[in-house]
Amino acid sequence: MKPKALILQAHGTNRDFDVMDALTLAGADPIGVPLNELRNHKRLFRDFQLIVLPGGFSYADALGAGKLLALDLISYFADEIFAFVESGKPVIGICNGFQALVKSGILPSPNERGNEGEGVTLTFNTQGHFECRWVMLKPVSQKCIWTKGLDESITCPIAHGEGNFQTSEAFPLSSFLEQDQIALTYVRADGSPANGYYPANPNGSLLDIAGVCNPQGNVLGLMPHPENHIFDYQHPRHTRGETGNSGLKLFENGVKYTAQV
Amino acid sequence: MVVKYNNKAGLDLSNEFLHEGIPQRQLKAIIERPAKPAFIRFSVSPSAPEFASQTLLKLLAHPNIASKAAVIRIYDHEVQGGTVVKPLTGVEDDAPSDATVLKPIRTKSAKGIVLSNGINPEYGKQDAYRMAMAVIDEAVRNAVAVGADPERIAILDNFCWGDPLRAETLGSLTEAARGCHEAALLFRTPFISGKDSLNNEYLGADGQRHAIPPTLLISAIGLIDDVHRAVTMDLKEAGNEVYLVGKFQPVFGGSHFSKITSQAINESVPDVHEITPKVYKALHQAILSNLIRSAHDLSEGGLAVAAAEMCIGGRLGMKIESNMRDDAVRVLFGESTGTLLVEVRKRDKEKILSMFNGLPCERIGIVVENENLSVSIHGFDILNMSLSDLITAWNTTL
């Protein structure tokens, strides 16, 4: 019995089918669910083993990318989502999904219900515009069930204008680091740290942070799109014979973990 | 046609009037024949190499030729995960692809779609008929370069023209339409759609109304049977050989060389040779037979620009040595339709020559490890440039 994955579809979601293909390859049964079907209880969060908030431009990024989707999540589904998260089941928010998870307070630490976490946000890229380019990611966190045990870096595209992970002085950065919550960082092609340099770090994120997880490790949010590198022919240099470093293992981790919850 | 309401006729029109009754406009077109071309010969002088280097750098930096990365990257070209050949390619993802190859999401076979374009208003300024032929050739050539089957390509037109009530403007429009008709038959590419934008006029410094240059954009859609076989334009490996395929007839009419040097402006615009469709068929067979390691078409700026772009893509050098009869400057910067540079493994020399079987296919150089683009015509060293200078010129403008 394949684990059922809920792929949340909001107005403006555009990478639902991309991530469904990745999850199918990873061994799950992905089901696209429009937000309204959850609102009218046609579908229930608790019937699923895994939740995905896919990429896109939900609500046209009005009031900030992911803001209105975050309001939807907290206004209509706060109890259900927090229960799902507390149960330890895997959740992944990609790009717009990550933005929604941060702006609803689910990431990095779901202790303030409904408020964007104190002093953390995803803001405008330093270069001041949307950018689409391939990057290299280093899996870091061994607490995060999605990145645990991944020893190979992942190359995949970013496609965002508001991916700049920043914290203010109010944010408990040291405990965040102690809790192994940095899930992935941007690195150069040779694997060395980007150290803030563009374009290896494509948006100016603090500490080259590409993705973070909650203290429990079951919720991952990341700006890049590993779901867009699951086939050899997607690699930018496949015609030069370069393959590998795909995003598939990250999804396989999440799917495998559903058996343990 | 009769429409009644409460038994009273509200409408009573004859169908013939309705469908055939509109008065047909009678317009006048004056077709201006292009002026008799004057050919210029560039003598081989000691200052020629310096002139050639400076010209190549200026061409690579020209906004029409330079890298469009700044524009390309602000659009999402990865959504749906099907972009097999991306708009920017090569070792550093910064060289210009000729066409895009897409594998539509959720399709089960390995088939892909190829999308390409052709446009050149510089040609349109002088000869609208030849422009139409040339840009259809360009769109087809770009598609074939990445692996599209030349026998399964369809095109669409996009006319941007001035006021057709001006007789000369209607004349150039008529000539472009004639070129579209002939090129579509020559390449056997059906027009499946199109659009026009007329009445694009401006007030000149002379206080007079002028039409924009006659501009025809041709977009092409093709099929590739296996996306894994797609070809990109970045040089792959030192030691491989470089061939010039297609009928090379370099001229300067409407060229970007003339645009930046103001020289040779009275030459004719390139025409399309009837052998070209056969060349594309042979190239496609060569691609299917795994003989083509990289391919890039010649367009604005000519052979030198095409070679430079391939070097930029592969972060490799190229050494061109040719005994072509044309003078060196013409070989480097003259523009021609129907031609491409292709990279072939040394061991496949016999195979590629036999595949082209008498069609124009000339070995002109090799790919080298040192990062230099050097060109020697009839023993005269006309060009020797470092890759880093080429990259800087190409990447800085936009």
Side-chain angles (χ1 to χ4, degrees):
Chain A
M1 188 62 180
K2 288 193 193 148
K4 294 227 296 275
L6 187 164
I7 318 297
L8 190 75
Q9 295 167 317
H11 295 295
T13 295
N14 69 14
R15 273 183 166 77
D16 38 350
F17 292 107
D18 311 41
V19 74
M20 282 192 226
D21 283 356
L23 285 166
T24 302
L25 268 184
D29 177 18
I31 298 165
V33 180
L35 205 119
N36 285 339
E37 284 189 9
L38 291 159
R39 270 200 75 187
N40 55 33
H41 304 289
K42 210 165 161 189
R43 298 269 192 189
L44 302 166
F45 283 102
R46 63 170 186 263
D47 292 339
F48 294 85
Q49 282 73 57
L50 193 156
I51 292 180
V52 183
L53 278 76
F57 290 94
S58 58
Y59 299 103
D61 284 359
L63 300 187
K67 183 65 185 171
L68 287 176
L69 180 54
L71 279 175
D72 275 347
L73 295 176
I74 295 307
S75 312
Y76 306 130
F77 312 116
D79 291 337
E80 289 150 274
I81 293 206
F82 282 101
F84 194 98
V85 167
E86 271 151 37
S87 75
K89 289 199 251 186
V91 176
I92 182 170
I94 304 170
C95 194
N96 195 222
F98 181 21
Q99 291 157 340
L101 287 175
V102 168
K103 294 184 183 182
S104 59
I106 297 168
L107 275 177
S109 308
N111 43 22
E112 292 242 2
R113 289 196 169 201
N115 298 321
E116 190 162 343
E118 269 288 293
V120 61
T121 193
L122 286 161
T123 184
F124 298 100
N125 296 347
T126 335
Q127 65 270 41
H129 56 75
F130 176 97
E131 187 143 337
C132 177
R133 71 162 63 237
W134 280 63
V135 295
M136 190 70 95
L137 306 173
K138 182 175 170 202
V140 175
S141 174
Q142 295 308 304
K143 169 89 72 66
C144 179
I145 64 105
W146 295 88
T147 53
K148 182 177 175 171
L150 294 182
D151 49 17
E152 211 187 41
S153 40
I154 293 172
T155 184
C156 66
I158 56 133
H160 60 247
E162 294 174 49
N164 188 355
F165 183 89
Q166 293 297 334
T167 60
S168 70
E169 272 146 36
F171 183 73
L173 190 59
S174 45
S175 67
F176 178 72
L177 296 168
E178 274 164 39
Q179 301 233 55
D180 198 15
Q181 287 182 259
I182 296 182
L184 302 120
T185 55
Y186 297 110
V187 291
R188 291 173 202 268
D190 63 6
S192 59
N195 278 333
Y197 284 108
Y198 172 88
N201 176 329
N203 49 39
S205 287
L206 173 75
L207 299 173
D208 299 332
I209 289 169
V212 306
C213 67
N214 60 342
Q216 217 178 329
N218 60 319
V219 179
L220 168 68
L222 75 167
M223 284 313 297
H225 292 281
E227 72 279 25
N228 281 150
H229 186 194
I230 55 175
F231 300 114
D232 281 353
Y233 60 74
Q234 293 168 320
H235 195 295
R237 288 170 290 287
H238 66 96
T239 59
R240 301 185 70 81
E242 268 184 62
T243 52
N245 303 95
S246 85
L248 192 55
K249 288 205 180 77
L250 186 143
F251 292 102
E252 285 174 347
N253 268 1
V255 173
K256 272 193 223 127
Y257 190 76
T258 58
Q260 297 178 42
V261 188
Chain B
M1 177 160 73
V2 179
V3 178
K4 285 188 180 162
Y5 180 71
N6 283 338
N7 262 319
K8 259 170 127 168
L11 188 74
D12 188 346
L13 278 177
S14 111
N15 273 331
E16 217 216 300
F17 172 71
L18 200 54
H19 294 285
E20 320 285 344
I22 189 167
Q24 190 65 33
R25 272 222 267 207
Q26 298 295 314
L27 297 176
K28 181 171 169 175
I30 294 178
I31 292 167
E32 293 171 319
R33 296 288 165 208
K36 194 164 161 58
F39 288 91
I40 181 170
R41 185 161 185 86
F42 291 88
S43 57
V44 163
S45 72
S47 65
E50 174 63 25
F51 170 69
S53 305
Q54 288 309 309
T55 302
L56 180 54
L57 291 175
K58 284 197 195 124
L59 284 169
L60 288 172
H62 192 281
N64 288 349
I65 294 173
S67 173
K68 306 297 181 296
V71 176
I72 290 167
R73 294 205 178 285
I74 59 173
Y75 292 91
D76 185 353
H77 61 264
E78 289 289 344
V79 65
Q80 297 196 35
T83 318
V84 177
V85 171
K86 302 166 197 298
L88 294 166
T89 192
V91 175
E92 297 293 333
D93 298 340
D94 64 357
S97 291
D98 290 316
T100 201
V101 173
L102 300 172
K103 181 166 182 320
I105 196 166
R106 299 283 162 105
T107 53
K108 299 233 188 322
S109 81
K111 271 198 169 76
I113 288 176
V114 177
L115 295 177
S116 61
N117 294 289
I119 189 169
N120 200 324
E122 295 304 309
Y123 293 177
K125 285 176 187 169
Q126 276 182 240
D127 188 334
Y129 166 78
R130 284 197 175 188
M131 170 185 69
M133 299 281 295
V135 297
I136 288 171
D137 173 67
E138 182 178 17
V140 171
R141 168 172 99 234
N142 277 327
V144 172
V146 298
D149 180 352
E151 295 185 67
R152 307 288 305 283
I153 293 178
I155 54 181
L156 61 85
D157 58 72
N158 205 318
F159 289 83
C160 284
W161 235 257
D163 179 1
L165 294 181
R166 186 193 291 105
E168 292 79 9
T169 304
L170 186 57
S172 63
L173 186 58
T174 315
E175 281 291 88
R178 181 169 74 94
C180 283
H181 175 250
E182 291 189 18
L185 288 175
L186 177 67
F187 289 103
R188 302 191 62 73
T189 49
F191 276 95
I192 56 172
S193 185
K195 71 172 289 292
D196 61 80
S197 169
L198 303 178
N199 294 304
N200 293 289
E201 301 262 328
Y202 64 95
L203 218 51
D206 57 2
Q208 300 298 312
R209 252 173 108 239
H210 297 276
I212 62 163
T215 304
L216 174 64
L217 166 67
I218 296 289
S219 300
I221 183 166
L223 289 176
I224 184 170
D225 279 335
D226 184 351
V227 296
H228 298 94
R229 299 271 191 112
V231 176
T232 57
M233 50 69 75
D234 43 307
L235 294 176
K236 301 298 187 295
E237 212 178 339
N240 286 346
E241 301 193 308
V242 180
Y243 289 77
L244 177 64
V245 305
K247 183 98 176 128
F248 186 52
Q249 304 176 113
V251 287
F252 290 109
S255 71
H256 270 62
F257 173 86
S258 295
K259 206 166 156 68
I260 64 166
T261 65
S262 304
Q263 294 188 47
I265 55 175
N266 290 321
E267 290 206 356
S268 57
V269 162
D271 67 355
V272 175
H273 199 279
E274 61 185 4
I275 212 176
T276 301
K278 294 196 178 79
V279 171
Y280 295 164
K281 261 201 211 158
L283 177 57
H284 185 59
Q285 285 309 309
I287 289 175
L288 291 179
S289 310
N290 273 323
L291 301 177
I292 307 296
R293 298 291 292 134
S294 67
H296 190 33
D297 79 319
L298 273 63
S299 61
E300 287 92 346
L303 190 149
V305 167
E309 289 171 343
M310 292 176 89
C311 291
I312 292 172
R315 289 304 196 265
L316 286 165
M318 197 191 289
K319 188 167 176 209
I320 294 176
E321 284 170 327
S322 172
N323 284 323
M324 274 188 256
R325 258 177 262 127
D326 295 302
D327 67 75
V329 172
R330 183 176 295 276
V331 170
L332 287 182
F333 304 117
E335 294 183 8
S336 179
T337 60
T339 45
L340 302 98
L341 287 174
V342 301
E343 178 187 358
V344 178
R345 286 186 206 86
K346 225 178 186 148
R347 65 173 193 255
D348 289 330
K349 187 190 184 123
E350 292 306 315
K351 287 196 189 128
I352 191 95
L353 290 175
S354 92
M355 197 145 264
F356 274 80
N357 193 24
L359 292 169
C361 172
E362 188 188 333
R363 181 199 173 285
I364 61 160
I366 53 168
V367 182
V368 292
E369 194 68 57
N370 78 55
E371 297 191 341
N372 257 50
L373 170 61
S374 65
V375 182
S376 183
I377 308 288
H378 273 294
F380 182 74
D381 295 331
I382 182 77
L383 202 70
N384 193 348
M385 301 184 73
S386 77
L387 188 54
S388 57
D389 285 344
L390 300 174
I391 292 168
T392 305
W394 157 255
N395 269 324
T396 308
T397 306
L398 284 171

